[in-house]
Amino acid sequence: MEQLITGAGDPMTVFAHGLAGDITGTRPLGSAVAGRRVFFQFRGHGRSDAPAGPWDFGDLASDLRGVADLAGATRALGVSMGAAALCRLLTDTPDRFERVVLYLPAPLDGHRSEAATRRLDRLLASVESGEAAMIADAVEAELPAAVRNTPAGWSYLRQRVDQLQRDGLAAELGSLWSAPAVPDESLLKGFRGRALVLGCLGDEIHPASWAERLADLLGAELEIYDRPAVLWTHRNDLRDRISTFLND
């Protein structure tokens, strides 16, 4: 597993990215979190291995557990797919983490929106082509309109295209949603730590209703932002909210 450890001291927090994401996408979320921080790439992403598939969320939970156990992490943050993998881990071992943050959690029931399916299919096809222009078109579609054609947008686009051309994405990622991420959602009620769930309105890939549902199951603190692309539109508030929760 490709990993990056930053910071010093305790506690240790592990950061799990979303589908087709990478370490650079989770680092801003931990920039103000105290202690050591371990960022990693799930199987099929970056320089991490891609064992033969198909894969399921039990496999991703094993990736997350392996990194967390090796690092001695007591806290965890999961984004989208990473949040679903974290939920799967918690259904198996509800006492594994003291605190968890679920940011834009993905649905756990095995069903994905048409928008999510189209996004992944387009991205996988563009990476398979190896053509920078095709990859750039797929990545640019994920940026909010206000960010496109700005220096920040161009910098992000260039970095993502370079990373995807260099490291690629495993085709097995398309097999993940063939079954529910967790065997029984009610098992999440066994979690005895503290949880923070962060969702937003207007995101068809990460419905706010799922954030609300998970917050209820986990007995978590809940924050619903008023529009999507939270990392672009509310970056400072998001960073402060996460660090305040994990540093308390």
Side-chain angles (χ1 to χ4, degrees):
M1 309 298 296
E2 181 182 358
Q3 301 176 47
L4 172 68
I5 297 178
T6 64
D10 293 323
M12 170 66 90
T13 306
V14 61
F15 292 77
H17 63 77
L19 180 64
D22 59 10
I23 288 171
T24 60
T26 49
R27 285 194 70 180
L29 302 174
S31 60
V33 173
R36 289 171 297 154
R37 303 171 293 276
V38 56
F39 305 88
F40 77 100
Q41 309 270 54
F42 278 109
R43 63 182 62 201
H45 294 79
R47 295 184 175 89
S48 292
D49 287 344
W55 303 335
D56 61 24
F57 277 91
D59 296 318
L60 297 190
S62 294
D63 292 348
L64 174 56
R65 184 191 302 278
V67 172
D69 287 353
L70 184 64
T74 57
R75 301 172 182 207
L77 180 148
V79 181
S80 188
M81 178 191 77
L86 177 53
C87 285
R88 176 59 177 264
L89 192 158
L90 293 179
T91 63
D92 296 332
T93 48
D95 59 349
R96 178 59 188 80
F97 295 108
E98 298 171 358
R99 299 189 188 194
V100 298
V101 178
L102 305 177
Y103 170 53
L104 300 181
L108 303 180
D109 60 1
H111 294 96
R112 306 181 67 215
S113 68
E114 291 185 9
T117 301
R118 287 196 305 270
R119 171 187 177 267
L120 180 60
D121 289 347
R122 181 180 184 184
L123 192 56
L124 289 176
S126 71
V127 171
E128 178 66 21
S129 77
E131 297 180 8
M134 189 172 176
I135 298 172
D137 284 344
V139 173
E140 187 177 39
E142 301 173 12
L143 291 173
V147 174
R148 298 172 193 171
N149 297 317
T150 68
W154 294 328
S155 176
Y156 172 81
L157 191 61
R158 183 168 55 251
Q159 177 271 321
R160 281 287 284 153
V161 171
D162 287 347
Q163 188 267 327
L164 288 170
Q165 275 195 302
R166 182 184 67 242
D167 300 328
L169 288 171
E172 287 87 349
L173 292 170
S175 67
L176 282 172
W177 273 268
S178 59
V182 300
D184 182 351
E185 292 172 26
S186 67
L187 294 174
L188 291 169
K189 294 180 179 179
F191 178 60
R192 291 293 176 264
R194 291 183 57 192
L196 171 65
V197 178
L198 302 164
C200 71
L201 300 175
D203 187 333
E204 56 186 334
I205 296 177
H206 310 101
S209 58
W210 266 105
E212 294 166 349
R213 189 166 171 175
L214 282 177
D216 182 60
L217 289 166
L218 293 167
E221 299 176 30
L222 174 66
E223 176 66 23
I224 301 293
Y225 288 91
D226 61 2
R227 53 181 170 158
V230 179
L231 191 56
W232 291 98
T233 60
H234 296 82
R235 181 177 293 235
N236 290 338
D237 182 82
L238 181 63
R239 180 195 61 192
D240 293 346
R241 199 175 293 276
I242 290 170
S243 61
T244 297
F245 175 78
L246 290 174
N247 294 348
D248 182 18

